Amino acid sequence: MGEETTRTAFVELQGRMIETTGKLKQVQMQMRNKEAEKKRAYLTLEELQQLSDDTNTYKSIGKAFVLEPKSDLIKEQQQKFKDSETVLASLETSKEYLEKQMADIENNLRELLQQDPGLARQIMSMDTGRQHWFFVTMSHSLIDGRRGKASYV
């Protein structure tokens, strides 16, 4: 592979890694939010079920509270719980796909650096700010992907 082709491939892989890392972090954040929503629905459901059937229950609508039958509130919380589980399953699938993509990109980068020791030396000779950025990006993607410590060249 020519030096310019190798450099272009490296820049492309680096860009894909940055993009995939961003998407992965976004999915992880969405999963955390959905888990919190699911937990809130579960806890609310637990509290509602402990109430006697003749207890007045209210639903918050904006700043107002509206009298609502207990059974309706229970159904609503059950639905929120089920919806959260469905969304979490979908997000888990997305996360697994992105982690697989990340592993492929990392393997391609490793292969590229092994094929062209000159490029590896060039990265090692970069000013420390850019080199640090590259290695931090790589190590974060490896650690976030639960693959342990980063290994290069």
Side-chain angles (χ1 to χ4, degrees), residues 32-150:
R32 282 190 299 275
N33 290 340
K34 225 18 121 169
E35 280 290 346
E37 187 178 309
K38 178 182 166 184
K39 186 175 182 178
R40 255 189 320 276
Y42 175 79
L43 293 172
T44 303
L45 194 55
E46 289 288 303
E47 291 297 320
L48 282 170
Q49 289 172 340
Q50 292 176 18
L51 297 174
S52 65
D53 289 336
D54 62 341
T55 303
N56 286 337
T57 53
Y58 296 87
K59 178 179 180 178
S60 171
I61 300 179
K63 293 182 179 182
F65 291 91
V66 178
L67 185 62
E68 191 85 23
K70 177 183 160 187
S71 60
D72 289 354
L73 292 177
I74 287 175
K75 287 177 190 171
E76 184 180 314
Q77 293 306 314
Q78 287 171 334
Q79 189 61 47
K80 281 184 183 181
F81 187 83
K82 288 177 188 173
D83 291 347
S84 293
E85 285 184 327
T86 303
V87 171
L88 279 167
S90 173
L91 287 170
E92 184 62 37
T93 302
S94 296
K95 180 183 167 202
E96 289 170 4
Y97 172 77
L98 289 169
E99 286 173 342
K100 184 176 181 275
Q101 256 190 333
M102 186 66 77
D104 290 344
I105 293 168
E106 290 164 2
N107 288 335
N108 290 340
L109 271 171
R110 259 186 227 99
E111 286 176 19
L112 188 65
L113 292 174
Q114 288 171 351
Q115 287 174 2
D116 189 349
L119 180 60
R121 280 191 298 278
Q122 191 175 15
I123 290 169
M124 295 304 285
S125 69
M126 278 187 219
D127 68 72
T128 55
R130 289 188 334 174
Q131 184 182 34
H132 173 74
W133 178 85
F134 171 74
F135 285 110
V136 165
T137 302
M138 287 290 289
S139 65
H140 280 250
S141 67
L142 287 168
I143 291 166
D144 287 347
R146 314 269 189 287
R147 286 185 275 287
K149 287 188 172 182

Side-chain angles (χ1 to χ4, degrees), residues 14-35:
Q14 192 177 28
R16 284 180 44 209
M17 175 173 273
I18 292 166
E19 180 183 342
T20 304
T21 301
K23 288 178 182 178
L24 185 58
K25 286 181 180 183
Q26 183 179 19
V27 166
Q28 289 169 334
M29 183 176 58
Q30 289 173 338
M31 288 178 77
R32 282 190 299 275
N33 290 340
K34 225 18 121 169
E35 280 290 346

